[in-house]
Amino acid sequence: MVRDDDVPTRDAALVDLGEADLVAACLAGRPGAFDVIVERHRRPIYQLCYRFVGNHEDASDLSQDVFLRAFRGLRNFKGESSLGTWLYRIGVNVCLNRVSAKPPVNEPIDKHQYLDDRSESPRDLVLRGERAMQVRAAIARLPRKQRAALILRMYHEMSHQEIAETLGSSVGAVKANVFHALQNLKKLLVSGVS
Amino acid sequence: MHLTPEELLDLAEGSRPLSSAPHLTACEVCRQQLDELRGVMATLDADVPEPSPLFWEHFSTRVREAVAAESAPARSRSSAGRWSWGLAAAMSVVVVAIAVALTVRTPPPITPAPPAIAEVPGGDVGSAPAVDDPSFSLLGDLAGGLDWDAAAEAGISMAPDTVDTAVHDLNDGERTELQRLLREAMATSRVGA
């Protein structure tokens, strides 16, 4: 699971703590401890949210909501899974709730995006951006469970077992959802959904 | 019998070797499905656009502020609770202190002990043997030794135009005469009773 460790934090002693100690420090009210958790996991959580909703504004709001819920429920984290998996579980629930209430709005590729264009020609960059946008738009039209299973499997490198635990289903159901998600995705991309 | 979706996915993801599915060699439908799965998966390499480098710091700040706002009401509720208990305790101490001070500075009015009606059958309430009451003796002893000036300096004051004020204004000779008259009156009252 990806962690966002490349951002300097304020308390060097906290940065060196393992997950369990960091959670304990948070629960003990140690200043800055939750900041370290946020800094470690904000990028993958943001990416998860972005893949669900397809735009920066909603992804940013949802990511904030994920961490706020995590802070509220930190006492419930028993360490049975990794902190990242636990945050993903919160993230998926937050995203699925939002997706139910509000259809995703995909943004144009040049909005709010910092593109590293040093290794690609402008033409390649545009083509890649357009293709990515089409894929995101197609994913946004998948049924909720299929979308969640596909995103966690294809983009966040979670095992079928981890996805099953996150979504509260079986491994067989997760595989079936990924399979049907891929089939539906092919149809959507062929039909030129955008 | 065709491959199940689960088996096809495992083959497409590479978590299961092709050699474990000999059915593929004989089934065009399953082979086509597997190719399509692989093709779609190859299109999923689209990265999430990276936000501005400044975004992450702003994001952390927003989360920090949201968490602080989340904790603030709980803290204020708990401190308010502590404050209210502290205030109540302080108020209790103040009330007790005021009550004690009032008790010391303003002695309660001395009321004569109620006459023992049952002990004087048929007797008048007003003709009770007050002189024999030990509390009157105690009062007399205390009043006899009272230094009025010291009492005034101690803050024991009297309201103007009262009997207390009139007694206070008497000289020593007049007070002695007043005591004599009072004793005579009480003795007469006792004899009459």
Side-chain angles (χ1 to χ4, degrees), chain B residues 4-90:
Chain B
T4 64
E6 192 171 330
E7 290 168 332
L8 283 168
L9 185 67
D10 285 343
L11 291 167
E13 289 181 344
S15 59
R16 181 174 177 167
L18 288 173
S19 58
S20 67
H23 170 75
L24 278 175
T25 55
C27 182
E28 177 64 26
V29 175
C30 286
R31 269 206 309 275
Q32 189 177 346
Q33 273 199 314
L34 182 58
D35 287 344
E36 286 177 358
L37 283 179
R38 286 172 170 164
V40 178
M41 287 167 71
T43 66
L44 295 177
D45 61 348
D47 291 333
V48 167
E50 179 67 11
S52 152
L54 293 175
F55 167 73
W56 297 116
E57 272 309 305
H58 292 159
F59 178 78
S60 289
T61 303
R62 281 172 56 192
V63 172
R64 195 178 305 118
E65 288 172 354
V67 165
E70 184 91 354
S71 334
R75 270 204 302 273
S76 68
R77 273 197 300 275
S78 112
S79 54
R82 283 199 299 273
W83 166 243
S84 60
W85 279 109
L87 181 63

Side-chain angles (χ1 to χ4, degrees), chain A:
Chain A
M1 196 157 294
V2 182
R3 289 193 342 182
D4 187 9
D5 283 333
D6 58 349
V7 179
T9 48
R10 289 154 194 80
D11 190 335
L14 286 170
V15 173
D16 294 335
L17 290 180
E19 271 186 2
D21 291 336
L22 199 51
V23 170
C26 284
L27 294 176
R30 192 166 165 188
F34 194 71
D35 289 347
V36 176
I37 289 178
V38 172
E39 286 169 7
R40 282 185 186 176
H41 296 278
R42 61 192 179 189
R43 190 186 299 270
I45 290 297
Y46 169 84
Q47 290 174 339
L48 174 76
C49 295
Y50 191 100
R51 287 191 167 107
F52 266 93
V53 294
N55 70 84
H56 172 78
E57 301 295 341
D58 286 341
S60 177
D61 289 346
L62 287 173
S63 305
Q64 181 178 328
D65 196 18
V66 170
F67 284 110
L68 197 55
R69 285 166 189 255
F71 177 77
R72 288 176 192 153
L74 203 56
R75 285 191 188 282
N76 300 324
F77 175 68
K78 304 298 181 192
E80 292 161 354
S81 61
S82 72
L83 189 59
T85 300
W86 184 70
L87 288 169
Y88 270 10
R89 192 174 301 145
I90 297 172
V92 169
N93 287 328
V94 167
C95 290
L96 288 177
N97 288 337
R98 168 67 70 91
V99 166
S100 300
K102 181 182 174 185
V105 178
N106 288 275
E107 63 190 3
I109 58 171
D110 58 346
K111 188 181 180 191
H112 301 296
Q113 296 174 14
Y114 174 73
L115 299 173
D116 184 0
D117 57 359
R118 287 169 294 187
S119 58
E120 284 183 292
S121 70
R123 181 175 175 277
D124 290 343
L125 195 64
V126 170
L127 288 176
R128 187 165 68 90
E130 285 180 352
R131 190 182 60 185
M133 191 178 67
Q134 286 175 345
V135 170
R136 285 198 300 271
I139 290 174
R141 279 160 178 76
L142 293 173
R144 295 164 69 242
K145 287 274 184 170
Q146 289 182 23
R147 187 185 334 178
L150 183 80
I151 288 171
L152 294 175
R153 179 66 182 151
M154 298 297 157
Y155 294 109
H156 295 273
E157 300 169 5
M158 289 176 71
S159 70
H160 295 122
Q161 180 64 44
E162 288 175 321
I163 298 170
E165 290 168 5
T166 301
L167 299 179
S169 60
S170 66
V171 169
V174 168
K175 287 185 177 180
N177 274 320
V178 173
F179 175 82
H180 292 299
L182 291 169
Q183 283 198 320
N184 288 330
L185 201 57
K186 177 179 175 294
K187 292 174 189 166
L188 288 166
L189 290 172
V190 168
S191 68
V193 66
S194 62

Side-chain angles (χ1 to χ4, degrees), chain B residues 12-192:
Chain B
E13 289 181 344
S15 59
R16 181 174 177 167
L18 288 173
S19 58
S20 67
H23 170 75
L24 278 175
T25 55
C27 182
E28 177 64 26
V29 175
C30 286
R31 269 206 309 275
Q32 189 177 346
Q33 273 199 314
L34 182 58
D35 287 344
E36 286 177 358
L37 283 179
R38 286 172 170 164
V40 178
M41 287 167 71
T43 66
L44 295 177
D45 61 348
D47 291 333
V48 167
E50 179 67 11
S52 152
L54 293 175
F55 167 73
W56 297 116
E57 272 309 305
H58 292 159
F59 178 78
S60 289
T61 303
R62 281 172 56 192
V63 172
R64 195 178 305 118
E65 288 172 354
V67 165
E70 184 91 354
S71 334
R75 270 204 302 273
S76 68
R77 273 197 300 275
S78 112
S79 54
R82 283 199 299 273
W83 166 243
S84 60
W85 279 109
L87 181 63
M91 289 298 291
S92 301
V93 170
V94 169
V95 167
V96 169
I98 290 172
V100 169
L102 287 175
T103 303
V104 169
R105 289 172 61 88
T106 311
I110 299 171
T111 54
I117 297 172
E119 293 175 6
V120 188
D124 185 3
V125 173
S127 64
V131 177
D132 291 341
D133 192 319
S135 60
F136 273 104
S137 301
L138 176 62
L139 180 62
D141 291 343
L142 289 173
L146 181 62
D147 183 345
W148 293 98
D149 294 332
E153 286 174 6
I156 301 174
S157 60
M158 296 158 287
D161 302 327
T162 62
V163 175
D164 290 343
T165 307
V167 172
H168 179 259
D169 291 340
L170 296 176
N171 60 32
D172 289 345
E174 290 168 336
R175 284 178 192 158
T176 303
E177 181 61 16
L178 177 60
Q179 285 175 350
R180 189 186 64 78
L181 291 172
L182 286 173
R183 283 198 178 98
E184 279 183 6
M186 286 191 289
T188 303
S189 172
R190 183 183 178 188
V191 170

